[in-house]
Amino acid sequence: MAFSPDEQTLACVTASRISLVDVRTGRTLASGPVSDLESVDRLWFSPDGRLLAATGPARLRLIRVSDAQVLLDQPVATDAVGFDGTTLRYLADATVVSLDVTGLLDPVRLPGPVPDTELFSPDGRLLVTHKAGSRAMMLRDPRGRVVGTPLPMEADSMIRDPAFSGDGGLLAFTDGRSRDYVSLWDTTRRTRVAKIPIPDMWYPHSLAMAPDGATLAIGVSAVVDPSRARLLIWDVRQARWSRSIGRVGEVEVVFRPGSTMVAESQADPTACWTFRREGRPVRPSDRRGCGALR
């Protein structure tokens, strides 16, 4: 058990739950399950009383007092845990880990229904949200506030596989109820700059945009034979297809910061292809899929 700094709340483990009790009234303020409760050896509060740490053999759990929600469940080396109000420090594998917990203390709940699509831009300054059936896509700041006017959507819009450019200025996603095209949006001007049709008898399953926003890679599979797959490369600046790479199998596509594209096979984890916009491929494990992006 442990008392909060103001001595008004008691934390205790009872009936396979961790409970926070009002000392004056005996009323349970919040309660929630925590895995392996039998291993909890120690409880203590942060200096401001808003967080509760529970430690046991090789385990640390960080719990928000307001709703008893577990925010962190982490293996640790010892019970050595420290708070200074905003930073949690603990020992793991002979390393002191420091974690800023201010964001955990003040969670932001988005207004309205829970979105079906949500994605932060790489720099974390822009959040896109969309609810299936809605005719508008929202751009929000990290606190959940809508930035500018909503982006108008078509009636058949079904956002899947969203991907930002590195600066968040461009947003691409698979669109249409049958995934028959990819939409490319300018988030600053709030306009769609391209509606990219997917060739007949193919459907997209992976989407990635180069950090500089110049290249869009789309992994597609054949409708009649999902094992047949290609990488389609869209030149954003020229607004045209620039390359089609075959015999790669169904892949997931990502970009490195240097705009090199990496495609990894879902069927074979050891098969990975790396492409540069110019020059020779980098470390191809299967040369059948190799090629330069020109």
Side-chain angles (χ1 to χ4, degrees), residues 149-171:
T149 57
L151 278 63
M153 307 295 293
E154 296 180 1
D156 65 344
S157 290
M158 297 282 288
I159 296 178
R160 304 177 183 91
D161 309 312
F164 276 107
S165 59
D167 62 1
L170 292 174
L171 171 67

Side-chain angles (χ1 to χ4, degrees), residues 168-188:
L170 292 174
L171 171 67
F173 52 87
T174 304
D175 208 340
R177 294 189 181 276
S178 57
R179 300 191 178 199
D180 51 356
Y181 62 95
V182 169
S183 284
L184 183 62
W185 286 79
D186 184 317
T187 61
T188 302

Side-chain angles (χ1 to χ4, degrees), residues 103-128:
L104 301 177
L105 292 169
D106 298 305
V108 175
R109 183 169 181 82
L110 300 178
V114 176
D116 294 295
T117 302
E118 49 194 13
L119 178 72
F120 273 103
S121 60
D123 59 10
R125 293 189 296 179
L126 196 62
L127 170 67
V128 59

